[in-house]
Amino acid sequence: MAKTVLITGGSRGIGRAAACLLGTQGWSIGVNYATNREAAQATVADVERAGGRAVAIAGDVASEADVIAMFDTLAAHFGRVDALVNNAGIVAPSSQLADMDLARLKRMFDVNVLGAYLCAREAARRMSTTRGGAGGAIVNISSAASRLGSPNEYIDYAGSKGAIDTMTLGLAKELGPQGVRVNAVRPGLIDTEIHASGGKPDRAAQLGATTPLGRPGSADEVAQSIAWLLGDAASYVTGALLDVSGGR
Ligand code: NAP
């Protein structure tokens, strides 16, 4: 039976690229999304056109009930849960901390931190060999922001990704003896719609030009690192924070 992976925020951007690539590598894929059903269905159709298997799964990662239901749906469709790409994440318009309101801060940490922790917890419960699972792999999508701090843009976002790095280090140690590898990818400036959602559609192109490699990265380039970390080629890799940031 094909291995199955839940990709949170799998409908657009980096998650979508990971879904399309993993679909060609034999994975069955749960394409999670928050609100944009059309984009999720388009991603599922693309995976299927390339010969893969996928199902669109609605759910807000910040909701515990939704997260449990997302994993239940994946298991119901494909019979097992082997991996998680903890990818769903948000940014917000550039601002200094002094100007951020409580609602923004709460949503940032609810989605990017609590959501990622809830998804990792659910994956651990289902994949840990000491809890009846068959082992597996988790790839958390952090950001180069976790080590840059993102001053004057969004230090709330940067801090949320710092939490993802730390969760990766700790959970890798917890779950290593239980058959589950846990790693993180830290993308730099990647050409996706997330920058428009933060009010700067040209951000990746403009700042990407200032990186050592002189350009933004593509979602496909990040997907390659996700697929490698999920797969058997990375069988001795756990607790790694892999920068995919063009040297930034
Ligand atoms: P994106 O193009 O904006 O796509 C975001 C995806 O996440 C969409 O599928 C969206 O679903 C989903 N999503 C948003 N909030 C959600 C929620 N509460 N619950 C479930 N799904 C939710 O973003 P991206 O650029 O691909 O970013 C993916 C990850 O990479 C994020 O964690 C981001 O922080 C990280 N990252 C990105 C960059 C970059 O330059 N692009 C750099 C470093 C790190 P809907 O379509 O329904 O909205």
Side-chain angles (χ1 to χ4, degrees), residues 21 139 185 220-230 242 244:
L21 178 61
V139 176
V185 171
D220 289 337
E221 288 174 307
V222 182
Q224 291 288 346
S225 64
I226 295 170
W228 178 71
L229 284 168
L230 276 191
L242 177 59
V244 183

Side-chain angles (χ1 to χ4, degrees), residues 17-244:
C20 291
L21 178 61
L22 290 166
T24 66
Q25 297 181 352
W27 290 83
S28 296
I29 297 154
V31 176
N32 160 249
Y33 65 101
T35 54
N36 190 337
R37 188 156 174 262
E38 213 169 281
Q41 285 174 332
T43 298
V44 167
D46 281 351
V47 171
E48 289 174 344
R49 243 192 310 277
R53 298 200 322 154
V55 59
I57 305 175
D60 180 350
V61 294
S63 156
E64 181 181 35
D66 282 9
V67 169
I68 292 168
M70 281 153 50
F71 278 87
D72 283 345
T73 303
L74 182 77
H77 257 264
F78 298 125
R80 48 192 281 178
V81 177
D82 299 291
L84 165 69
V85 180
N86 222 346
N87 167 76
I90 56 170
V91 296
S94 290
S95 173
Q96 292 197 341
L97 177 62
D99 297 317
M100 292 179 194
D101 64 21
L102 180 62
R104 169 194 169 129
L105 289 168
K106 276 181 89 76
R107 187 64 185 159
M108 186 69 69
F109 286 97
D110 274 356
V111 174
N112 290 8
V113 182
L114 183 64
Y117 269 74
L118 285 172
C119 290
R121 186 192 71 177
E122 202 55 32
R125 286 177 172 173
R126 293 169 192 245
M127 300 190 315
S128 161
T129 52
T130 61
R131 295 170 189 269
I138 297 173
V139 176
N140 295 319
I141 308 304
S142 173
S143 170
S146 72
R147 55 181 167 71
L148 296 171
S150 307
N152 303 308
E153 277 201 305
Y154 29 60
I155 70 165
D156 52 347
Y157 172 81
S160 76
K161 294 303 187 178
I164 297 307
D165 288 0
T166 305
M167 187 250 277
T168 303
L169 299 177
L171 194 60
K173 290 173 184 162
E174 264 184 29
L175 293 182
Q178 301 175 33
V180 181
R181 295 183 300 103
V182 185
N183 293 290
V185 171
R186 299 198 294 196
L189 295 152
I190 310 301
D191 186 14
T192 73
E193 293 167 354
I194 202 170
H195 306 290
S197 72
K200 291 185 175 172
D202 299 329
R203 181 173 177 273
Q206 280 171 1
L207 291 178
T210 69
T211 64
L213 292 189
R215 63 172 178 83
S218 70
D220 289 337
E221 288 174 307
V222 182
Q224 291 288 346
S225 64
I226 295 170
W228 178 71
L229 284 168
L230 276 191
D232 292 341
S235 53
Y236 199 55
V237 182
T238 198
L241 309 177
L242 177 59
D243 287 326
V244 183

